[in-house]
Amino acid sequence: MDENVTILMTSCQAYSDILYIHDQLFQKYWHDCPFKKILVVDKYDQKVLGESFYDEVIEAGDDAEGDCNGVRIVQGLRHIKTPYLILLQEDFLLYDHVDTALILNLVKLAKKYHAGNIRFTVDPITEDQFSVKENLLEYKRGMAYRLSMQAGLWKTKYLYKMFSKCKNGSEFERKGSFESVKYEEPILAWGGVAYPYMNAIQKGKWLPHCVNIVQWNKLAPDFRRHSVMTNKDRFLNELKGYILSINPQAVVKIQNLLNFGKKY
């Protein structure tokens, strides 16, 4: 196994049906993954998931229930021995093959520039160029959602330092983004798609187009546990996204002040 990077998958019992689908697609589309894989959950249900393909499973206990729970993620980070990690969530579902050589090149670039994070896709959008030749963009200090739970490569010590101050993924993105200005590590993004995945679940519900792709891969979502988003759900999500896009920095500062915002 590669000694530089570990994959840290975070999930919980409530999303074990989604995790099962994730694992099937991961094995199909990244079968030559060279990295150790660690799963951290509140409880592991072998009846649902079967024999684990992870190299290590950490059961974090009842205090780690809930999606993007900070207790669970921090416990997982404490088990990482490599200098870098790839942080994933169970609803990041692959739809195409991963180019392992590209991922390994991003590890080299992270080392070269001492990056805290290289995101695998440009989400949210940034137009600030960091290295045109190497296809890297930058999230400048002060940007809303400069730190993100989206799939990416992290310097392990940096992520632990930033996440240990947060209760969950929402707080990490909102408050951590402004906290990150205190540290010198650049936050970067690959200017393409290094990890071809879809964020399949929003507000606990399936996005319709993601259901189609999952079923095309001959997998069956359990709609008793997670239903499909209605048109009303999608409209409200798009409306919130539009409001955020008007002035992201101002909106997030208000969210931080009132302690509300994007939830996972």
Side-chain angles (χ1 to χ4, degrees):
M1 289 185 179
D2 186 280
E3 296 181 354
N4 294 294
V5 181
T6 300
I7 290 178
L8 179 61
M9 165 61 69
T10 174
S11 188
C12 62
Q13 185 74 8
Y15 279 67
S16 58
D17 57 318
I18 312 298
L19 179 62
Y20 174 80
I21 291 174
H22 167 277
D23 293 352
Q24 299 303 306
L25 293 173
F26 189 100
Q27 291 176 87
K28 176 179 180 178
Y29 289 119
W30 202 4
H31 57 84
D32 63 342
C33 175
F35 309 126
K36 179 179 180 178
K37 299 179 290 295
I38 293 179
L39 169 66
V40 56
V41 290
D42 49 355
K43 297 178 182 177
Y44 185 79
D45 188 347
Q46 192 169 5
K47 292 180 181 178
V48 174
L49 299 171
E51 190 67 29
S52 174
F53 85 109
Y54 294 91
D55 301 294
E56 184 177 350
V57 177
I58 302 164
E59 289 191 290
D62 293 339
D63 290 340
E65 289 181 313
D67 200 18
C68 280
N69 180 281
V71 172
R72 186 174 66 245
I73 292 174
V74 169
Q75 282 202 34
L77 289 171
R78 287 173 178 157
H79 284 74
I80 303 294
K81 306 300 183 185
T82 53
Y84 293 91
L85 67 94
I86 294 171
L87 181 64
L88 299 176
Q89 298 177 63
E90 73 283 290
D91 65 331
F92 291 176
L93 305 184
L94 286 170
Y95 60 82
D96 202 353
H97 293 281
V98 177
D99 183 346
T100 300
L102 172 57
I103 300 295
L104 292 172
N105 182 58
L106 292 180
V107 177
K108 292 180 181 178
L109 293 176
K111 291 180 178 180
K112 177 180 179 180
Y113 293 115
H114 306 285
N117 173 226
I118 297 183
R119 213 160 297 169
F120 287 155
T121 186
V122 190
D123 183 9
I125 297 296
T126 177
E127 297 179 353
D128 293 315
Q129 296 286 341
F130 183 83
S131 172
V132 174
K133 180 180 179 181
E134 294 162 317
N135 197 27
L136 291 176
L137 295 104
E138 182 176 14
Y139 292 98
K140 299 279 191 179
R141 287 170 169 78
M143 282 188 65
Y145 294 104
R146 184 179 189 236
L147 300 188
S148 172
M149 293 294 296
Q150 294 299 325
L153 177 72
W154 291 89
K155 183 187 291 186
T156 303
K157 290 182 179 178
Y158 180 85
L159 183 59
Y160 182 82
K161 177 170 56 181
M162 299 306 303
F163 215 106
S164 60
K165 303 174 183 179
C166 302
K167 296 178 181 178
N168 51 47
S170 175
E171 223 177 67
F172 171 73
E173 290 190 330
R174 292 186 289 106
K175 296 182 179 180
S177 293
F178 292 108
E179 179 74 14
S180 68
V181 302
K182 300 177 183 178
Y183 304 100
E184 62 182 14
E185 289 91 343
I187 303 300
L188 309 175
W190 174 250
V193 179
Y195 191 79
Y197 74 101
M198 49 190 177
N199 200 164
I201 305 291
Q202 288 187 13
K203 306 295 184 184
K205 296 183 179 181
W206 281 97
L207 291 172
H209 69 280
C210 297
V211 171
N212 294 336
I213 294 173
V214 168
Q215 292 176 332
W216 183 85
N217 280 278
K218 297 182 171 56
L219 295 168
D222 185 351
F223 297 124
R224 296 169 300 178
R225 297 184 64 179
H226 294 89
S227 60
V228 181
M229 266 195 167
T230 64
N231 289 335
K232 180 181 177 181
D233 294 330
R234 295 168 67 189
F235 170 76
L236 291 174
N237 267 358
E238 290 173 6
L239 178 61
K240 291 175 183 176
Y242 172 74
I243 293 171
L244 177 63
S245 69
I246 295 173
N247 192 331
Q249 282 75 16
V251 172
V252 172
K253 285 179 180 177
I254 293 170
Q255 289 176 330
N256 287 340
L257 181 64
L258 301 177
N259 195 32
F260 74 92
K262 182 179 178 181
K263 302 294 183 185
Y264 285 89

